[in-house]
Amino acid sequence: KFIKPDNEFALISSNSESLKLLEFATNKVELYPGHSDIILTVDVLPAKQLCLTGSKETKSGFGTTIWRLISN
């Protein structure tokens, strides 16, 4: 999912327990751990500055994490 109006960043889930933030201008990737099993889906709520991820986790019964998007 692209974030910010100018699409300079993307949030990526790719067979990993970590959410990835890609900055296109520099090709820099930051990892954000937060799940104990692979992330299956990512959605962005830009008006609320939130990101929602869903994973295969079953320990807690829920594999959902809400992330706050903070811009510099």
Side-chain angles (χ1 to χ4, degrees):
K1 294 286 183 168
F2 295 105
I3 57 175
K4 298 188 85 164
D6 51 9
N7 292 336
E8 63 184 294
F9 295 94
L11 290 170
I12 303 166
S13 65
S14 59
N15 203 27
S16 170
E17 298 85 12
S18 296
L19 184 63
K20 297 168 185 74
L21 176 67
L22 169 65
E23 181 179 10
F24 291 111
T26 62
N27 286 329
K28 180 179 175 185
V29 176
E30 294 182 24
L31 298 177
Y32 295 93
H35 288 280
S36 62
D37 207 336
I38 64 170
I39 297 172
L40 300 171
T41 186
V42 176
D43 203 1
V44 177
L45 305 162
K48 302 280 186 183
Q49 294 185 326
L50 297 174
C51 170
L52 177 70
T53 54
S55 74
K56 291 176 62 175
E57 291 173 48
T58 57
K59 283 184 188 177
S60 65
F62 296 100
T64 305
T65 300
I66 299 172
W67 309 76
R68 179 163 307 281
L69 302 173
I70 300 172
S71 59
N72 295 331

